[in-house]
Amino acid sequence: MFYALFFIYIALKYFNVPNKNFFEKVVITIGKSTYHIYLAQMVYFGMLRIQHYDKGFYYIIHILICISAGIIFYYVEPKITKKIELSIKKLQ
């Protein structure tokens, strides 16, 4: 019954490669920041009223803008949150 857990344990323990190339780091960063990318996409398409049915090159540009803004937001948001928390503690 628990043989699947055993296989997963073995795979995680022995097949974990610590050296990651650039492509893997990019995919991991995008994976970690998916919620922030989603939020950036909602603001981008919602506030700017950009049409979803653009063709070809413009569609790729819109996607790259949303992914870039989401990743930037992923790295900036904890710093902003920390500053807000510190300012709230000073007011109390």
Side-chain angles (χ1 to χ4, degrees):
M1 182 172 163
F2 292 103
Y3 62 89
L5 179 64
F6 175 72
F7 289 131
I8 290 173
Y9 175 75
I10 296 294
L12 289 175
K13 183 159 180 92
Y14 295 108
F15 296 121
N16 190 6
V17 179
N19 296 333
K20 296 176 182 153
N21 61 20
F22 178 74
F23 180 72
E24 289 176 348
K25 289 179 183 178
V26 169
V27 170
I28 289 171
T29 302
I30 290 173
K32 288 181 179 179
S33 62
T34 52
Y35 183 67
H36 293 84
I37 293 170
Y38 168 73
L39 294 175
Q41 172 186 338
M42 295 305 289
V43 171
Y44 184 75
F45 287 114
M47 289 180 64
L48 298 179
R49 305 278 187 217
I50 294 174
Q51 300 298 325
H52 295 282
Y53 51 84
D54 286 343
K55 295 181 182 174
F57 180 72
Y58 294 113
Y59 184 73
I60 293 171
I61 294 298
H62 294 314
I63 296 296
L64 290 176
I65 289 171
C66 291
I67 290 173
S68 301
I71 291 173
I72 291 169
F73 180 47
Y74 172 73
Y75 285 114
V76 171
E77 187 259 337
K79 296 174 184 177
I80 293 172
T81 305
K82 187 182 287 186
K83 287 184 180 183
I84 291 173
E85 288 175 354
L86 290 175
S87 64
I88 290 173
K89 285 182 182 179
K90 287 181 182 178
L91 291 175
Q92 293 177 348

